[in-house]
Amino acid sequence: MGEQTTAREFHLPLEQIAGASADGALRYLEYRGDMARLGLAVNGEPPFADAAASEPAPPPAEPAPVSAPWCVTLLSPAVTLSQLRQLLTFFAEHGWPVTGVDTLAQSDTRTVLRFQIDAVLDFSTAKHACLQQAEKLKADLVLQPGDSQRVPALAGFDMDSTLIDAEVIDELAKITGIGEQVAAITEAAMRGQLDFRQSFKKRMALLKGFPETRLAEIAAELPLKDGAAKLLGALRALGCKTAILSGGFTYFAHYLQRERLPVDFVHANQLEFAQGALTGDVIEPIVDGARKRALLQQMAEDLGLGLDRVIAVGDGANDIPMLNLGALGIAIHPKPKVRLEAPQAISGFGLDAALYLFGLNDAQIGKLTQSGL
């Protein structure tokens, strides 16, 4: 029989954690610029024999206030002491002092640690360093300004492959028997290899003759992206206005708004029908990347909001302009080009993981859920 695993809490400096040679499953880490509280699942001899140890303590109800200029959030299915050591070494090698750490989530399927960093950074350079380190850790590592760790007042969302787990135009094409042909154009456009406006017109021309009667059937079968309902519901409960800004179609965006998700505003492309079938033409103005950004900026102005209260969420190349507009631009399961060009990116979790970037922990998110989400 194997040795029994027990949970223990160790009190020690971060430098001692970074120098540890042992490994183990991390339960939590709390640090306030003094001694760290490190919760580990210990199997056999404890890794810090000379450190003060105690029974695990309950997690704080709320994370500490953010006072540092930068935050780096680690999102992983399960964090090990070895991964934590690698990350602390990464911070030290870049000269990024850690002034605080909070555990925002700890469960069997996700661990989220937020590190406050007191350093002067070039954001683009630091972001790409974090992306490279994330690949080594096999996790997500998200850099953001410290003052962006708050609930936004306005959030703009792409629809296809962001709020729903499908590209609607590809679903229409499958019914007409040209699914592979249209899907290839869509993929090239989302990767930034084709101009969106040109690709959109080309795909619509191929869909000429699609019957209007099939739209309701497709709308009812569109799968939501994992975490979409939880995130949109939480934002509604927190008073944040939300908008769909889609290169897809108003018919499906309004269906989501009416039947599936709490969304305040919808901006998307209109379908043109004649005698019950798609004409193959497009109705201007096309909602492309530039228009998404302009619409989001106009909504902020109409609501009297500064761009520091605005965020955007998307996955494709046509989302990049709006992702770079406000306080946060979160690419969810992004294409490679978007992962590199978006300010923030989350690849390993659903949409609800964005809540951690607003400074919320699982206890706070759970209260929102209990309140009726």
Side-chain angles (χ1 to χ4, degrees):
M1 294 181 63
E3 295 177 312
Q4 185 176 3
T5 299
T6 58
R8 299 291 289 168
E9 178 176 296
F10 297 90
H11 301 248
L12 69 175
L14 281 183
E15 293 79 5
Q16 190 172 348
I17 299 174
S21 57
D23 203 359
L26 185 142
R27 299 298 190 195
Y28 57 85
L29 176 64
E30 304 289 339
Y31 177 63
R32 300 289 182 268
D34 188 8
M35 299 290 279
R37 295 174 50 241
L38 175 68
L40 290 176
V42 177
N43 191 343
E45 290 294 322
F48 303 105
D50 56 343
S54 62
E55 293 297 317
E62 297 182 359
V66 173
S67 57
W70 299 98
C71 289
V72 175
T73 303
L74 171 69
L75 304 98
S76 174
V79 177
T80 64
L81 184 56
S82 175
Q83 285 178 307
L84 176 59
R85 184 172 64 248
Q86 292 178 59
L87 185 53
L88 291 174
T89 300
F90 166 78
F91 291 147
E93 289 175 348
H94 284 78
W96 299 353
V98 177
T99 58
V101 186
D102 288 277
T103 300
L104 303 183
Q106 206 294 308
S107 68
D108 292 338
T109 58
R110 69 174 63 176
T111 301
V112 180
L113 303 178
R114 184 192 67 190
F115 298 80
Q116 295 195 44
I117 305 294
D118 187 8
V120 177
L121 305 179
D122 174 75
F123 178 75
S124 180
T125 301
K127 180 193 75 172
H128 285 95
C130 285
L131 289 176
Q132 292 174 353
Q133 184 63 29
E135 293 179 359
K136 296 176 183 177
L137 296 173
K138 295 180 173 58
D140 286 317
L141 201 59
V142 182
L143 174 68
Q144 66 185 107
D147 60 8
S148 69
Q149 273 263 326
R150 60 175 176 172
V151 177
L154 173 64
F157 290 87
D158 173 50
M159 180 175 67
D160 295 41
S161 296
T162 298
L163 290 177
I164 58 175
D165 202 13
E167 292 284 341
V168 171
I169 199 166
D170 294 354
E171 299 305 309
L172 302 181
K174 289 176 185 177
I175 292 175
T176 60
I178 55 171
E180 291 185 5
Q181 184 179 356
V182 170
I185 300 172
T186 300
E187 180 68 12
M190 292 302 100
R191 289 182 178 276
Q193 297 168 339
L194 287 178
D195 174 77
F196 180 82
R197 290 179 59 86
Q198 292 177 346
S199 71
F200 183 71
K201 290 180 178 181
K202 184 175 182 180
R203 286 175 289 169
M204 289 305 301
L206 290 170
L207 289 171
K208 182 179 181 179
F210 184 89
E212 187 174 6
T213 55
R214 302 296 300 272
L215 296 183
E217 169 193 333
I218 293 172
E221 295 178 354
L222 292 174
L224 292 181
K225 199 79 165 181
D226 181 38
K230 187 173 182 179
L231 174 57
L232 270 292
L235 289 173
R236 171 65 61 86
L238 291 163
C240 175
K241 297 294 185 181
T242 55
I244 291 176
L245 301 166
S246 175
F249 306 110
T250 53
Y251 181 95
F252 300 97
H254 282 133
Y255 177 87
L256 287 180
Q257 182 186 39
R258 185 175 64 251
E259 303 288 344
R260 308 290 300 279
L261 296 171
V263 174
D264 296 295
F265 310 106
V266 166
H267 294 280
N269 294 303
Q270 297 182 56
L271 292 168
E272 183 179 74
F273 291 94
Q275 299 179 333
L278 278 176
T279 65
D281 294 327
V282 301
I283 298 176
E284 296 284 354
I286 294 172
V287 180
D288 58 6
R291 183 155 176 77
K292 286 187 181 189
R293 179 186 173 100
L295 287 166
L296 185 57
Q297 186 165 6
Q298 185 61 56
M299 280 188 286
E301 292 177 7
D302 292 344
L303 292 168
L305 299 173
L307 293 178
D308 61 335
R309 302 301 311 282
V310 177
I311 71 160
V313 183
D315 76 300
N318 63 322
D319 297 317
I320 291 173
M322 74 170 181
L323 293 178
N324 283 284
L325 176 67
L328 293 174
I330 306 168
I332 295 287
H333 305 165
K335 309 298 187 289
K337 173 183 174 67
V338 185
R339 182 173 179 267
L340 291 175
E341 295 190 26
Q344 288 79 33
I346 296 175
S347 299
F349 295 91
L351 274 166
D352 57 307
L355 291 166
Y356 302 121
L357 304 188
F358 308 153
L360 301 173
N361 66 11
D362 271 351
Q364 295 168 309
I365 296 168
K367 289 181 181 179
L368 291 172
T369 303
Q370 294 168 10
S371 70
L373 298 185

Coordinates of all heavy atoms in Angstrom, one line a residue, residues 69 138-139 147 183 214 221-222 231 235 245 249 253 259 273 289 315 328:
P69 N 1.5 47.4 -9.4 CA 1.1 47.9 -10.7 C 0.8 46.8 -11.7 O 0.1 47.0 -12.7 CB 2.4 48.6 -11.2 CG 3.5 48.1 -10.4 CD 2.9 47.7 -9.0
K138 N 2.7 24.3 -19.0 CA 1.5 23.6 -19.5 C 0.3 24.2 -18.8 O -0.5 23.4 -18.2 CB 1.6 22.1 -19.4 CG 2.7 21.5 -20.3 CD 2.8 20.0 -20.1 CE 3.7 19.4 -21.1 NZ 5.1 19.9 -21.0
A139 N 0.2 25.5 -18.7 CA -0.9 26.2 -18.0 C -1.1 27.5 -18.7 O -0.4 27.9 -19.7 CB -0.5 26.4 -16.5
D147 N -4.6 47.7 -11.8 CA -5.9 48.4 -11.7 C -7.0 47.9 -12.6 O -8.1 48.4 -12.5 CB -5.7 49.9 -11.9 CG -5.1 50.3 -13.3 OD1 -5.0 49.4 -14.2 OD2 -4.8 51.4 -13.5
A183 N -16.1 26.2 -44.5 CA -15.4 26.1 -43.2 C -13.9 26.4 -43.4 O -13.3 27.1 -42.6 CB -15.5 24.7 -42.6
R214 N -35.1 27.1 -42.2 CA -34.2 26.2 -41.4 C -33.5 27.0 -40.3 O -32.8 26.4 -39.5 CB -33.1 25.6 -42.3 CG -33.7 24.8 -43.5 CD -34.4 23.5 -43.0 NE -33.5 22.6 -42.3 CZ -32.7 21.7 -42.8 NH1 -32.7 21.6 -44.1 NH2 -32.0 20.9 -42.0
E221 N -30.2 24.5 -31.8 CA -29.2 23.4 -31.6 C -27.8 24.0 -31.3 O -26.9 23.2 -31.1 CB -29.2 22.5 -32.8 CG -30.5 21.7 -33.0 CD -30.5 20.8 -34.2 OE1 -29.5 20.9 -35.0 OE2 -31.4 20.0 -34.4
L222 N -27.6 25.3 -31.3 CA -26.3 25.9 -31.1 C -25.8 25.6 -29.7 O -26.5 26.0 -28.8 CB -26.3 27.4 -31.5 CG -26.5 27.8 -32.9 CD1 -26.7 29.3 -33.0 CD2 -25.4 27.2 -33.8
L231 N -20.5 33.2 -16.8 CA -19.9 34.5 -16.9 C -20.9 35.6 -17.2 O -20.9 36.6 -16.5 CB -18.8 34.4 -18.0 CG -18.2 35.8 -18.3 CD1 -17.5 36.4 -17.1 CD2 -17.2 35.6 -19.5
L235 N -21.8 38.7 -14.6 CA -21.7 40.1 -15.0 C -23.0 40.8 -14.9 O -23.1 42.0 -14.4 CB -21.2 40.2 -16.5 CG -19.7 39.8 -16.7 CD1 -19.4 39.8 -18.2 CD2 -18.8 40.7 -15.9
L245 N -21.0 41.5 -30.2 CA -20.4 42.2 -31.3 C -19.9 41.1 -32.3 O -18.8 40.6 -32.1 CB -19.3 43.1 -30.9 CG -19.7 44.2 -29.9 CD1 -18.5 44.8 -29.2 CD2 -20.6 45.2 -30.5
F249 N -24.6 36.6 -37.4 CA -25.9 37.1 -37.8 C -26.8 37.5 -36.7 O -26.9 36.9 -35.6 CB -26.6 36.1 -38.7 CG -25.7 35.6 -39.8 CD1 -25.2 34.3 -39.9 CD2 -25.4 36.5 -40.9 CE1 -24.4 33.9 -40.9 CE2 -24.6 36.1 -41.9 CZ -24.1 34.8 -41.9
A253 N -27.9 35.9 -32.9 CA -27.5 36.7 -31.7 C -28.8 37.1 -30.9 O -28.8 37.0 -29.6 CB -26.8 38.0 -32.1
E259 N -33.4 33.8 -25.5 CA -33.6 32.4 -25.0 C -32.5 31.9 -24.1 O -32.8 31.0 -23.2 CB -33.8 31.4 -26.2 CG -34.9 31.8 -27.1 CD -36.3 31.6 -26.5 OE1 -36.4 30.9 -25.5 OE2 -37.3 32.2 -27.1
F273 N -33.1 38.0 -47.4 CA -33.8 36.9 -48.0 C -34.8 37.5 -49.1 O -35.2 38.6 -49.0 CB -34.7 36.2 -46.9 CG -33.9 35.4 -45.9 CD1 -33.6 36.0 -44.7 CD2 -33.6 34.1 -46.2 CE1 -32.8 35.2 -43.8 CE2 -32.9 33.3 -45.3 CZ -32.5 33.9 -44.1
G289 N -13.8 43.6 -38.0 CA -13.0 43.9 -36.8 C -13.0 45.4 -36.5 O -13.2 45.7 -35.3
D315 N -12.1 35.4 -30.0 CA -11.2 34.3 -30.3 C -10.5 34.4 -31.7 O -9.5 33.8 -31.9 CB -12.0 33.0 -30.3 CG -12.8 32.7 -31.5 OD1 -13.7 33.6 -31.8 OD2 -12.6 31.8 -32.3
L328 N -9.1 45.3 -20.5 CA -8.7 43.9 -20.8 C -9.2 43.5 -22.1 O -10.3 43.9 -22.6 CB -9.3 43.0 -19.7 CG -8.8 43.1 -18.3 CD1 -9.6 42.2 -17.4 CD2 -7.3 42.8 -18.2

